Amino acid sequence: MKARGIPVFVSGDIIRAEARKRKLKFTRRNLGQLMLQIRKEEGMGAVAKRLVPLVENARGEFVVYEGARSVEEVDELRRKYNIVTIAIHASRQARFHRLQRRRRSDRPRSWADFAERDNRELGVGIANLIALADRTVENEDSKDDLKRRTRRLLQVVLNPKKSS
């Protein structure tokens, strides 16, 4: 998306920015607890609310918000913007291995850590968000395959008259 000039905002960046403000280390435990705490204190749409000023300063007709975790986040954005939700779905096994390969400090160290992370995200409503998505893209293959599928879908979503 960035290559096409479309700004990309990532929910995890919002959480990490708050962790930085609070001088927390970027550990799996700290970021997971902070994600829950922000939503508990400010509501389930809190991360999206924090995103709005960034979107307001962005240039262009479209933006991408990557990593929404709840229907409430999307509803928060729908109050101001036209939204199309795209769920990118991969099996648990594929997601676990990809998180391992990223080598970030907050990656799950074991399958149990991964299951804990999955359950935390299920607890904030990600399953409902996936179930209610406008579109879905399968992500079981290579990064290039995902890019190809996503590019094709975005052509349809961003240019609905041309694809009819």
Side-chain angles (χ1 to χ4, degrees):
M1 293 292 86
K2 289 178 187 175
R4 294 186 77 188
I6 299 174
V8 177
F9 300 97
V10 180
S11 65
D13 291 346
I14 304 281
I15 303 300
R16 284 185 286 278
E18 184 63 27
R20 213 173 281 113
K21 265 195 235 175
R22 296 181 188 201
K23 296 181 177 19
L24 297 173
K25 288 185 178 178
F26 288 13
T27 65
R28 187 178 32 80
R29 181 181 206 83
N30 286 349
L31 295 177
Q33 287 176 344
L34 182 58
M35 182 266 292
L36 293 173
Q37 183 180 357
I38 288 170
R39 285 174 170 89
K40 183 178 181 182
E41 292 171 356
E42 301 173 30
M44 293 304 285
V47 175
K49 283 180 193 170
R50 291 172 179 227
L51 178 75
V52 169
L54 302 174
V55 172
E56 294 295 322
N57 291 327
R59 293 204 166 105
E61 187 178 356
F62 304 103
V63 301
V64 171
Y65 174 42
E66 178 184 316
R69 295 294 188 260
S70 70
V71 171
E72 291 85 355
E73 282 182 46
V74 173
D75 287 346
E76 188 65 42
L77 294 172
R78 273 199 175 108
R79 290 185 177 102
K80 293 191 77 115
Y81 311 107
N82 290 325
I83 302 291
V84 175
T85 54
I86 301 171
I88 299 179
H89 189 269
S91 66
R92 293 182 88 200
Q93 201 72 20
R95 289 184 292 111
F96 175 72
H97 289 297
R98 287 178 185 138
L99 287 169
Q100 294 298 301
R101 282 193 307 257
R102 279 193 204 158
R103 312 287 301 158
R104 286 192 340 206
S105 62
D106 62 337
R107 74 183 180 278
R109 304 291 180 181
S110 66
W111 184 261
D113 289 347
F114 176 74
E116 177 186 311
R117 177 186 186 271
D118 249 15
N119 287 329
R120 182 174 53 242
E121 292 187 357
L122 287 167
V124 296
I126 197 167
N128 290 337
L129 185 58
I130 292 168
L132 297 173
D134 298 312
R135 303 290 185 119
T136 303
V137 175
E138 181 189 314
N139 185 15
E140 289 298 321
D141 304 310
S142 71
K143 192 181 267 190
D144 286 339
D145 288 330
L146 174 63
K147 286 180 181 179
R148 186 177 35 76
R149 286 182 187 119
T150 305
R151 230 183 341 263
R152 196 175 318 135
L153 176 58
L154 287 173
Q155 287 173 341
V156 171
V157 170
L158 299 178
N159 303 306
K161 292 175 185 139
K162 290 181 182 176
S163 61
S164 307

